[in-house]
Amino acid sequence: VQYPLEVRYDYRALDVGLFAQPVAGGLDRWQPLLPPLLPGLSLGEGGTPLVRCPQLCAWAGLDNLMVKDESRNPTWSHKDRLNVCTVSAAVAAGALGVAISSSGNHGASAAAYASRAGLPTVVLCDEGTGLAAQQMMQAYGAAVVAMPREARWPLLEQLTSLPGWYLLGNTAATHTGHPFGPEGYKTIAYELFQQLGGRAPAAVAVPVSYAELLFGIWKGFEELRLLGAIEAVPMLVSAEPAACAPHAQAWEEGTPTASLPYGRTIARAIGSATSGYRGQHALRASGGIAWRVRDEDMLAAQEAMSADGLWAEVSSCASLAVLRDMGRSGFAFHGPVVAISTSSGLKDIDAGKPAVPRIHSRDWSEFATVLRERYELPVHS
Amino acid sequence: VQYPLEVRYDYRALDVGLFAQPVAGGLDRWQPLLPPLLPGLSLGEGGTPLVRCPQLCAWAGLDNLMVKDESRNPTWSHKDRLNVCTVSAAVAAGALGVAISSSGNHGASAAAYASRAGLPTVVLCDEGTGLAAQQMMQAYGAAVVAMPREARWPLLEQLTSLPGWYLLGNTAATHTGHPFGPEGYKTIAYELFQQLGGRAPAAVAVPVSYAELLFGIWKGFEELRLLGAIEAVPMLVSAEPAACAPHAQAWEEGTPTASLPYGRTIARAIGSATSGYRGQHALRASGGIAWRVRDEDMLAAQEAMSADGLWAEVSSCASLAVLRDMGRSGFAFHGPVVAISTSSGLKDIDAGKPAVPRIHSRDWSEFATVLRERYELPVHS
């Protein structure tokens, strides 16, 4: 059995003026609270906006819901916060190449940072990996190989047992992840503290697969509490596909982790059969809760958020769907509530979706008919 | 003939402390130098990073080239700066809906902002519009209709002659665009001034179709010059597909605009058969230059930039290819040079590109063979 490693800092030595700097990108600005970052590796990750979404609030039945839009990162997902830390570690360790099992966001981001650092990247992806993810990972020069889900871990383990091949992720049966990954994620908590004017939100909902992101956000708030900047850590909520929800099962049964048969979900980026220790710890320590989300509710949340001008990957929208569910179940939030939106809707681009209607000439009546009948717009022929 | 409108401000009344604020998103921070923005419409557009790219510099043969990464905007392109201004104007004018001809970025961004403002959007796109663009525009709720290129303008004109349908773009034979569009773009110049520590770069290369972006960036620097913040406007360089380059033709022939037969290019976002007055004006007023870029050089530039961790839409890479060409032609730049990268590589996602190689089991030798033979990695069976 492998257990996760935790990174500790000498918090007494910290200048808390660090939190008074303006919100901006570049995780190196948080260096006193991060593992050593490779100079020049940053792509300006982080510093993502916290966006007010009035139509989404109405949909969710919450009056102070805001979206932390992580699609504004260099490779358009939260994974960039992780990889600036883990690729720095790989370079420091003398790696000759990095390897990861990923269905998209993680692999693409790892390849971007590794390439910037001059290292090749191998990504082991499953056969259901989408068109956008495949093209994106290859664009950054990764050596991508598709294979059956269960083949990924033994092959990843074998590859990273060769000299020079650095493991960016996990090969353990119970997910542990790279210890520096959540260190990058915790900067989301620092930014939320700044963006809310020096306070913590009432709750933060986070899409989870292995829940490393959720743990990182919890840790950032916990550090702010230790430093005396906030009184209490906000309630953390894990948003997990109902098709396969090991975190929710572990949380309900009081076990440290759970493993289940993999269940198919449209939320490819967060489909996982195994939970991890860190996510459970963060849920319990924050007085949080684990929640299951149906695919159709994620799609409804995606549409509601798009109406406010933010188009997210469907997995990202699990956090919104959970918050609406919770409100309907009688939860009352005393203060602002934040939904983490992890990535862009462009990541879901795939062949096989319906194409736009087509007309064949400059004839007005043909055009007006499409606008009226297909789109229900009041345009007369 | 239609001519563009220009927006003027009372610069004497301006507090130049405006430029001392930190670089961040939300164009409303520049309100004293912008047309009235609709309160709450901002999605945190702008504030995009200026990224150092060592491998790209080596490729281009320039030692101080930086990339302004506009893919960090709300809909992952520079068009968001335009639309926060033009949709504000539409709402102020009492529009009941907005309409635009677009092959992707503009239409998606317009739909995002219009939807946020509660207005429907009609997008007239050409038949070559890609998979990502189609799905993205529809995701924001736009009524998208594909049609032959030449049908778009007469139908757009007819639609926007109906009461309440607001024209976000252009229907004139010589492109004029919405007068508020370049007002949004000019904030790129303000940010570059800030990001370079209170000075202008030596040159800025800009991918152009109608060159509204190029004009906007020029105008921002010209305002900084009028305000006494910089001594001279940097050299502006237009990067245009060689397949059809009306700006380059007008520049070479000394005419205000040019129109050519449309020429097919892989750079879909900047393929244009017509130039505009504003772009020519900016080129000449800045001592700039118009340059043609071959498709294969854009692809080479895209690969070079990806190596530094930035994957851009192929059209975005025209600016990089131009700078390399200019260096090889003997141009010397005295100071930092900025390439504007307008959008994300995800916008080019399309079916028909090669899929990743696939293996069928956890057999090490099959995996190692793919890594060695397909990707040329030193992994032995």
Side-chain angles (χ1 to χ4, degrees):
Chain A
V1 180
Q2 294 179 318
Y3 291 97
L5 293 170
E6 170 66 330
V7 186
R8 299 294 300 273
Y9 303 82
D10 181 0
Y11 296 109
R12 293 164 305 180
L14 187 81
D15 175 3
V16 291
L18 191 63
F19 296 101
Q21 64 181 321
V23 179
L27 253 55
D28 36 5
R29 74 186 56 246
W30 301 110
Q31 183 63 82
L33 284 171
L34 292 179
L37 299 182
L38 180 67
L41 183 62
S42 173
L43 286 161
E45 57 290 320
T48 59
L50 184 64
V51 183
R52 293 187 180 277
C53 293
Q55 296 172 82
L56 185 66
C57 281
W59 175 83
L62 295 169
D63 52 11
N64 199 358
L65 166 63
M66 285 175 282
V67 175
K68 180 74 168 163
D69 183 7
E70 287 288 295
S71 78
R72 313 287 179 95
N73 274 301
T75 73
W76 313 290
S77 91
H78 64 298
K79 293 286 184 187
D80 295 326
R81 298 185 193 256
L82 173 149
N83 280 299
V84 74
C85 296
T86 55
V87 171
S88 290
V91 172
L96 302 174
V98 299
I100 181 86
S101 161
S102 168
S103 58
N105 286 329
H106 198 155
S109 172
Y113 283 87
S115 176
R116 191 166 167 85
L119 298 178
T121 303
V122 173
V123 182
L124 296 81
C125 69
D126 74 44
E127 291 160 324
T129 300
L131 186 70
Q134 290 185 32
Q135 292 183 14
M136 187 179 184
M137 294 189 287
Q138 292 190 307
Y140 292 111
V144 189
V145 183
M147 60 190 68
R149 279 186 73 81
E150 62 282 3
R152 294 178 299 166
W153 292 281
L155 288 177
L156 181 59
E157 189 159 12
Q158 198 160 353
L159 176 62
T160 55
S161 68
L162 297 179
W165 283 100
Y166 189 88
L167 176 65
L168 281 188
N170 168 68
T171 60
T174 292
H175 188 90
T176 58
H178 193 293
F180 289 0
E183 299 301 305
Y185 290 148
K186 75 186 183 187
T187 58
I188 292 176
Y190 303 163
E191 292 173 13
L192 289 174
F193 170 76
Q194 295 180 307
Q195 289 169 321
L196 293 169
R199 62 173 175 157
V204 183
V206 185
V208 304
S209 54
Y210 300 125
E212 299 281 282
L213 173 61
L214 182 136
F215 172 78
I217 295 171
W218 171 79
K219 182 172 177 183
F221 282 116
E222 175 66 8
E223 289 180 325
L224 286 164
R225 193 187 65 78
L226 286 171
L227 290 164
I230 60 174
E231 283 187 18
V233 168
M235 177 187 194
L236 272 289
V237 182
S238 69
E240 203 175 12
C244 183
H247 285 279
Q249 179 166 317
W251 186 77
E252 286 157 7
E253 297 183 351
T255 54
T257 64
S259 288
L260 295 169
Y262 178 70
R264 186 167 285 280
T265 167
I266 56 166
R268 284 192 291 228
I270 53 171
S272 171
T274 308
S275 69
Y277 300 104
R278 291 200 269 223
Q280 284 302 315
H281 177 73
L283 281 178
R284 294 194 176 118
S286 79
I289 190 168
W291 206 271
R292 294 179 172 85
V293 190
R294 298 180 308 164
D295 282 7
E296 57 263 44
D297 291 337
M298 293 187 222
L299 287 172
Q302 186 185 42
E303 192 176 332
M305 191 159 74
S306 297
D308 274 319
L310 297 179
W311 181 41
E313 190 177 42
V314 69
S315 302
S316 300
C317 303
S319 53
L320 297 165
V322 159
L323 291 170
R324 183 167 87 146
D325 274 359
M326 288 177 73
R328 290 179 167 187
S329 302
F331 278 84
F333 300 105
H334 303 291
V337 176
V338 173
I340 306 292
S341 180
T342 45
S343 190
S344 160
L346 288 165
K347 303 288 182 78
D348 288 328
I349 296 292
D350 228 325
K353 294 190 185 171
V356 302
R358 179 164 299 212
I359 61 174
H360 303 93
S361 74
R362 62 173 68 186
D363 175 54
W364 170 254
S365 69
E366 187 185 5
F367 181 49
T369 302
V370 171
L371 293 181
R372 204 173 50 245
E373 295 186 357
R374 165 79 178 255
Y375 293 115
E376 298 175 7
L377 290 171
V379 175
H380 299 288
S381 307
Chain B
V1 182
Q2 293 179 318
Y3 292 97
L5 293 170
E6 170 66 330
V7 186
R8 299 295 298 273
Y9 303 82
D10 182 359
Y11 296 109
R12 292 163 307 179
L14 187 81
D15 176 2
V16 291
L18 191 63
F19 296 102
Q21 64 182 322
V23 179
L27 253 53
D28 36 5
R29 73 185 56 245
W30 301 111
Q31 183 64 82
L33 284 171
L34 292 179
L37 299 182
L38 180 67
L41 183 62
S42 173
L43 286 161
E45 58 289 322
T48 58
L50 184 62
V51 183
R52 293 188 181 275
C53 292
Q55 295 173 81
L56 185 65
C57 281
W59 175 83
L62 295 169
D63 53 10
N64 199 357
L65 166 62
M66 285 174 281
V67 174
K68 181 73 167 163
D69 183 6
E70 287 288 296
S71 79
R72 313 285 180 96
N73 274 299
T75 74
W76 313 291
S77 89
H78 64 298
K79 292 287 184 187
D80 296 324
R81 298 185 192 255
L82 174 148
N83 280 299
V84 73
C85 296
T86 55
V87 171
S88 290
V91 172
L96 301 174
V98 299
I100 182 84
S101 161
S102 168
S103 57
N105 286 329
H106 198 154
S109 172
Y113 282 87
S115 176
R116 191 165 167 87
L119 298 178
T121 303
V122 173
V123 182
L124 297 81
C125 69
D126 73 44
E127 292 161 322
T129 300
L131 186 71
Q134 290 185 31
Q135 292 183 14
M136 188 180 184
M137 293 189 288
Q138 292 190 310
Y140 292 110
V144 189
V145 184
M147 61 190 68
R149 279 185 72 80
E150 63 281 4
R152 295 179 298 166
W153 292 281
L155 289 177
L156 181 59
E157 189 158 13
Q158 198 160 352
L159 176 63
T160 54
S161 69
L162 297 179
W165 283 99
Y166 189 88
L167 176 65
L168 282 188
N170 167 69
T171 60
T174 293
H175 188 89
T176 58
H178 194 292
F180 289 0
E183 300 302 305
Y185 290 148
K186 76 186 183 187
T187 58
I188 292 177
Y190 303 164
E191 292 173 14
L192 289 175
F193 170 77
Q194 295 179 307
Q195 289 169 319
L196 293 170
R199 62 174 176 156
V204 184
V206 187
V208 305
S209 54
Y210 300 126
E212 299 282 281
L213 173 61
L214 182 136
F215 172 78
I217 294 172
W218 171 79
K219 183 174 176 181
F221 283 116
E222 175 65 9
E223 289 179 325
L224 286 164
R225 194 188 65 77
L226 286 171
L227 290 163
I230 59 173
E231 282 188 17
V233 168
M235 179 187 194
L236 273 289
V237 180
S238 68
E240 202 174 13
C244 184
H247 285 279
Q249 179 166 317
W251 187 77
E252 286 157 5
E253 297 183 349
T255 55
T257 64
S259 288
L260 296 168
Y262 178 71
R264 184 167 286 281
T265 168
I266 56 166
R268 284 191 291 227
I270 54 170
S272 170
T274 308
S275 70
Y277 300 104
R278 290 200 268 222
Q280 284 302 313
H281 177 72
L283 281 179
R284 293 193 177 117
S286 77
I289 189 167
W291 206 272
R292 293 177 171 86
V293 190
R294 297 180 309 165
D295 282 5
E296 57 263 45
D297 292 336
M298 293 185 222
L299 288 172
Q302 186 185 41
E303 191 176 332
M305 191 160 74
S306 298
D308 275 319
L310 297 178
W311 182 41
E313 190 177 43
V314 68
S315 302
S316 300
C317 303
S319 53
L320 297 166
V322 159
L323 291 171
R324 183 168 86 144
D325 274 359
M326 288 178 72
R328 291 179 166 188
S329 303
F331 277 83
F333 299 105
H334 303 291
V337 175
V338 173
I340 306 293
S341 180
T342 46
S343 189
S344 160
L346 289 165
K347 304 289 183 76
D348 288 329
I349 295 291
D350 229 325
K353 293 188 185 171
V356 302
R358 177 163 301 211
I359 61 175
H360 303 92
S361 74
R362 62 173 66 187
D363 174 55
W364 170 254
S365 69
E366 188 186 5
F367 182 50
T369 302
V370 171
L371 293 181
R372 205 172 50 244
E373 295 185 358
R374 165 79 176 256
Y375 293 115
E376 300 176 4
L377 290 171
V379 176
H380 298 289
S381 305

